[in-house]
Amino acid sequence: IHSPEEAFRTILRPDGEFYHPPHCPQSLPVLEMLRDLKICPVLAHPFLSLMPRQLSEFLPEAKKRGLMGMEVFYSTYDSRTTQTAQTMAEHYGLLPSGGSDFHGTIKPDIGLGVGRGNLQIPMQWLERLEEAAETM
């Protein structure tokens, strides 16, 4: 095997010799575990896997189980999605966060800390998350 891409095309694909299905733990018990470990859980890029209705069903229970923040600024969000995320975070009492989702050469169009060049996360958001983590 000469590259990760080749490995996933051959031996690691679902019918490949070394494939093992991923184990995906349930999110609500994980939130409780994170809080027990004094970690400030933040939901990253929720609209990549959930629609607004699904998110509004998930967030009340997630908040009860320890969710403290939600990413509202994200590299691929348009202004409407960002506004929806901000509104939902405020509604459920979650601290806002943001991120570029930088992954190096895997996502060459996304820069570290700036996303696609226009991402600006307020420093006070980081400070509020740090304060929340310290009070746990």
Side-chain angles (χ1 to χ4, degrees):
I1 304 296
H2 296 92
S3 70
E5 293 80 15
E6 181 183 355
F8 283 102
R9 278 194 322 272
T10 58
I11 64 173
L12 296 177
R13 67 181 194 207
D15 62 346
E17 181 178 355
F18 293 99
Y19 177 79
H20 291 279
H23 170 69
C24 297
Q26 295 295 313
S27 57
L28 296 175
V30 169
L31 287 170
E32 293 172 337
M33 179 190 72
L34 292 172
R35 288 298 298 270
D36 289 345
L37 294 170
K38 307 293 187 216
I39 294 171
C40 179
V42 176
L43 179 61
H45 36 69
F47 294 113
L48 293 189
S49 57
L50 298 171
M51 299 301 294
R53 190 175 127 249
Q54 294 170 308
L55 190 57
S56 65
E57 292 170 0
F58 171 76
L59 289 177
E61 188 61 28
K63 171 87 177 183
K64 285 183 204 171
R65 302 279 192 103
L67 184 65
M68 298 178 74
M70 186 173 93
E71 188 172 50
V72 300
F73 284 178
Y74 180 64
S75 290
T76 64
Y77 284 0
D78 59 21
S79 59
R80 182 175 170 189
T81 305
T82 297
Q83 183 57 52
T84 300
Q86 284 183 300
T87 300
M88 292 183 87
E90 289 171 11
H91 178 76
Y92 293 103
L94 298 169
L95 296 170
S97 77
S100 63
D101 205 20
F102 174 76
H103 286 262
T105 58
I106 294 171
K107 294 183 178 182
D109 63 321
I110 296 177
L112 178 61
V114 296
R116 292 197 166 101
N118 61 349
L119 190 66
Q120 295 182 349
I121 313 301
M123 183 56 80
Q124 67 197 41
W125 287 9
L126 173 61
E127 293 165 354
R128 289 175 61 200
L129 287 167
E130 288 174 335
E131 288 171 13
E134 289 173 7
T135 62
M136 295 173 31

